[in-house]
Amino acid sequence: MSPSRNSMARILSRRLFAAAGAAVVLLGVASCGGGEQKKTGAMPSEITFSILSAEGQASSGPLWQPLLDDMSKAIGVPVKPFFAGNYNVLIEAMRFNQTQVAWFSAKPALEAVDRAQGEVVARIVDPEGRDSYTSTLIVRKGSGITLDKVMACGKQYSFGIGDAQSTSGTLAPLTFLFNPRGVTPAQCFSTVRSANHQANAMSVAAGVVDVATSNSVNTVFMRRENPRLADQIEDIWTSPPIPESGIVIREDLDPALKEKIRSFFLTYGQGDGPEAERQRQVLAGLNYSMFKAADDNYLDPVREMVADQKLTEARARNDQAGVAAAERELATLRAKREVQP
């Protein structure tokens, strides 16, 4: 079999596997109590909160469960978690009302707003007071691989990219690094494989992959949870700031319940006293300091990145109508940004 046929077979296999996995996960959620469809505006008997977890429930569950328990008490409705390692599974779960509240990074949050009846109510602030983070390119420490060597292409190195819906793992590197230089990863590297940040980091540390995408948040968690692994990796590129993750709820939830959920996040860990201090410790475990009020306008920088990617792809196809549409969208978004204080 020729290399091109091998490549096509692998792509088809991955797509079929991903589709089957998504269907199985969604059926599993639907079989639980929180999976049944609820009437628009009706008060649900249970809320399902979706969490992207590359490492699975065993690792992320203990970090999130105290916050979900506090949320249950505050809103008067039981809240259960739904963990998945795939962005599309989580977006589809919200679209079909299998989940009603979610923690999403910026690009999936935008997808949820656009096609899953999502509504942004809050955004994350980290312990240093930042509501943004950065995408990075990582290599094994001591490998001698530099950004200049990587961008020379020549199919010398293997590359680990993120999920297609990942803001920092895919969209930001394309927007800020590859597209401006006219570089297509598939034509630049010897191999390109898609995985989550943790898997890519381990592959780089083990020498399985030469260079991969990651982000500053993953670096913090690696340094805290696996310092030995973190010591084997170094950054060779850092992106401009990217909007931090946000809390998204279904817009057709009961209005009174929506307000309780919004109030819970915006007041969590605030104030004085032992309870507020306990909540701040819960947030510290997630590497947060607070949730700040937000709506979907905070995702405009990501909309610009998406439009930029559409423009690049349309130019590659010589699609003049697509180029014109993407340029109009970019002009509108940039004009909006320029008039904002």
Side-chain angles (χ1 to χ4, degrees):
M1 186 177 284
S2 68
S4 60
R5 283 176 148 185
N6 269 324
S7 184
M8 289 300 294
R10 285 195 298 270
I11 291 170
L12 179 60
S13 175
R14 284 197 298 268
R15 286 177 177 173
L16 289 172
F17 180 80
V24 168
V25 173
L26 288 176
L27 284 172
V29 178
S31 67
C32 301
E36 61 188 52
Q37 292 286 333
K38 300 173 179 67
K39 295 179 181 179
T40 300
M43 179 68 74
S45 59
E46 185 177 66
I47 289 291
T48 302
F49 187 105
S50 65
I51 301 164
L52 177 74
S53 175
E55 297 178 338
Q57 183 171 351
S59 176
S60 297
L63 298 177
W64 279 97
Q65 196 58 54
L67 184 142
L68 299 187
D69 290 342
D70 290 342
M71 181 178 170
S72 296
K73 295 174 186 175
I75 69 174
V77 177
V79 179
K80 68 174 185 179
F82 170 46
F83 292 90
N86 180 285
Y87 291 95
N88 275 323
V89 167
L90 298 178
I91 295 165
E92 290 300 289
M94 178 164 277
R95 185 164 79 93
F96 289 104
N97 201 17
Q98 311 297 341
T99 64
Q100 295 75 44
V101 186
W103 167 72
F104 279 138
S105 62
K107 175 64 163 54
L110 181 58
E111 291 285 328
V113 168
D114 289 346
R115 61 186 178 92
Q117 298 187 58
E119 177 182 334
V120 175
V121 296
R123 62 190 296 187
I124 305 303
V125 178
D126 76 10
E128 283 71 47
R130 296 181 295 246
D131 56 10
S132 63
Y133 68 119
T134 55
S135 170
T136 59
L137 228 59
I138 58 173
V139 298
R140 183 177 173 84
K141 190 173 290 185
S143 66
I145 300 174
T146 65
L147 183 61
D148 286 342
K149 289 180 179 179
V150 169
M151 299 313 295
C153 294
K155 297 199 171 185
Q156 180 181 359
Y157 301 117
S158 55
F159 181 53
I161 199 167
D163 184 294
Q165 295 289 354
S166 173
T167 316
S168 59
T170 299
L171 184 60
L174 291 176
T175 302
F176 299 121
L177 180 62
F178 295 113
N179 292 348
R181 293 165 174 81
V183 171
T184 302
Q187 298 171 2
C188 181
F189 298 100
S190 58
T191 59
V192 178
R193 50 178 274 181
S194 176
N196 61 55
H197 295 305
Q198 289 82 358
N200 276 334
M202 287 189 285
S203 294
V204 167
V208 175
V209 169
D210 295 313
V211 57
T213 59
S214 185
N215 65 39
S216 55
V217 176
N218 189 48
T219 298
V220 170
F221 275 98
M222 276 197 301
R223 180 62 57 191
R224 187 175 72 184
E225 303 295 329
N226 194 339
R228 187 174 179 180
L229 175 66
D231 287 340
Q232 298 177 62
I233 293 170
E234 61 181 349
D235 298 343
I236 59 170
W237 173 80
T238 301
S239 75
I242 304 168
E244 252 290 11
S245 304
I247 302 298
V248 180
I249 63 177
R250 274 187 61 97
E251 61 183 10
D252 60 355
L253 274 177
D254 173 79
L257 181 59
K258 284 171 64 175
E259 188 51 42
K260 286 182 180 179
I261 294 171
R262 188 192 314 270
S263 177
F264 167 75
F265 283 105
L266 299 186
T267 60
Y268 195 78
Q270 304 303 299
D272 300 316
E275 179 60 13
E277 180 57 32
R278 182 192 66 80
Q279 292 176 358
R280 283 192 284 271
Q281 290 303 310
V282 172
L283 290 173
L286 295 164
N287 201 45
Y288 303 154
S289 65
M290 64 180 293
F291 299 94
K292 185 166 71 173
D295 57 30
D296 75 310
N297 286 320
Y298 106 91
L299 299 171
D300 279 351
V302 182
R303 289 186 171 93
E304 284 194 46
M305 293 162 66
V306 171
D308 179 83
Q309 183 61 23
K310 288 179 182 176
L311 178 60
T312 299
E313 292 171 354
R315 284 173 173 165
R317 297 191 305 268
N318 198 26
D319 175 4
Q320 296 307 312
V323 168
E327 286 177 337
R328 285 194 300 271
E329 187 175 0
L330 274 171
T332 299
L333 288 165
R334 286 167 179 166
K336 180 180 177 181
R337 167 160 49 88
E338 288 168 4
V339 301
Q340 288 177 341

